[in-house]
Amino acid sequence: MTGELIIAPSILAADFARLGEEVAAIDAAGADWIHCDVMDGHFVPNISFGADVIKAIRPVTTKVFDVHLMIAPADPYLETFAKAGADVITVHAEAGPHLDRSLQAIRALGKKAGVSLCPATPESAIEYVLDRLDLVLVMTVNPGFGGQSFIGPQLAKIKRIRAMIGDRPIRLEVDGGVTRDNAAAVAAAGADTLVAGSAVFRGRGVAEYAANIEAIRAAAEACRVPHLQNSEQRMRISEGGLIR
Ligand code: DX5
Ligand code: ZN
């Protein structure tokens, strides 16, 4: 689950009154994955949407649904999100005492397993679960809201996690305040999957979203760490089937 650069627009920044149209628009605009931010008003100080909304938009696109659960507890809801159409399910390391169990449960549902770290959480939180992971999500804002400013010192954490991942087929995703202006630094630190909400849903409609996605992609592609660009890894991901 590594290789090519993935741009994952967060639908948190979409017009919820036209959510289906917005998902179709970012699909047509070149989004690789669709990032779905689920918030419970308990783990984070905001409520967004749940599994029923994800289920409702699932028929709109065949792209990967990258579901970021900012909920605690997460375990009782994993099956519901799997059935709603999630492809990747990411839980927070801070959301419960049994991260290892949560990750096993996600894989047992046949889904890719991700873990997210809040800005104050050190990378050591995932040291002993690396082999249960398909994705690590580094939060570069405090989770709960779109449109916040990127927290610069998280770049050091991204670099350290890139080194921890080594040759494992684990994606390194960065989420929060990503724009065309900092995408290069994020990619240079080792990220291969960039979430962007407000930077993608600026303007309205396919053409504007496509320009926004392309600007982020171009900035990131220019600065990717070399070992992620070799042809063998690209081959593996295209054969792997998750990237569609
Ligand atoms: C924050 C969410 C992010 C957020 C990204 O809690 O996890 O995915 O929506 O939005 P921007 O790109 O606007 O920071
Ligand atoms: Zn997110």
Side-chain angles (χ1 to χ4, degrees), residues 10 12 35 37 39 68 70 139 141 143-148 175-178 195-198:
S10 166
L12 190 65
H35 187 81
D37 284 309
M39 302 179 182
H68 178 189
M70 287 162 274
M139 289 301 308
V141 298
F145 303 94
Q148 302 181 80
D175 183 9
V178 173
V195 176
S198 38

Side-chain angles (χ1 to χ4, degrees), residues 7-234:
I7 306 294
S10 166
I11 58 170
L12 190 65
D15 177 354
F16 284 180
R18 300 184 299 108
L19 190 55
E21 277 172 55
E22 291 274 74
V23 171
I26 51 169
D27 182 344
D32 299 302
W33 290 2
I34 311 298
H35 187 81
C36 304
D37 284 309
V38 177
M39 302 179 182
D40 67 353
H42 167 72
F43 178 67
V44 290
N46 194 11
I47 299 174
S48 59
F49 52 80
D52 287 344
V53 170
I54 291 172
K55 191 175 174 185
I57 57 173
R58 181 67 277 190
V60 175
T61 175
T62 59
K63 301 238 165 111
V64 166
F65 269 20
D66 175 33
V67 175
H68 178 189
L69 295 181
M70 287 162 274
I71 65 175
D75 290 10
Y77 303 99
L78 297 175
E79 187 174 0
T80 305
F81 283 99
K83 287 187 172 154
D87 297 296
V88 183
I89 300 179
T90 296
V91 294
H92 265 265
E94 308 86 358
H98 303 296
L99 177 60
D100 186 277
R101 175 181 288 145
S102 303
L103 296 171
Q104 288 193 57
I106 295 168
R107 282 191 167 172
L109 290 163
K111 304 301 175 183
K112 300 290 182 186
V115 64
S116 181
L117 302 179
C118 288
T121 303
E123 63 278 8
S124 58
I126 59 171
E127 189 176 350
Y128 295 101
V129 295
L130 279 171
D131 291 321
R132 299 208 189 281
L133 289 173
D134 299 297
L135 178 144
V136 178
L137 190 169
V138 176
M139 289 301 308
T140 42
V141 298
N142 287 292
F145 303 94
Q148 302 181 80
S149 297
F150 186 89
I151 300 174
Q154 295 302 309
L155 288 170
K157 191 198 288 182
I158 297 165
K159 284 183 196 155
R160 290 194 196 112
I161 293 175
R162 168 52 62 202
M164 286 169 75
I165 287 173
D167 290 335
R168 294 176 181 84
I170 299 174
R171 282 207 159 262
L172 180 46
E173 181 171 51
V174 171
D175 183 9
V178 173
T179 65
R180 63 182 73 192
D181 297 323
N182 59 29
V186 170
D192 54 27
T193 306
L194 274 55
V195 176
S198 38
V200 167
F201 286 95
R202 188 168 295 134
R204 175 170 169 158
V206 176
E208 284 182 88
Y209 298 165
N212 297 337
I213 290 170
E214 190 45 41
I216 294 167
R217 191 190 302 282
E221 285 284 11
C223 293
R224 294 197 66 203
V225 292
H227 80 273
L228 291 174
Q229 293 178 312
N230 72 58
S231 56
E232 192 189 316
Q233 283 187 314
R234 284 177 179 277

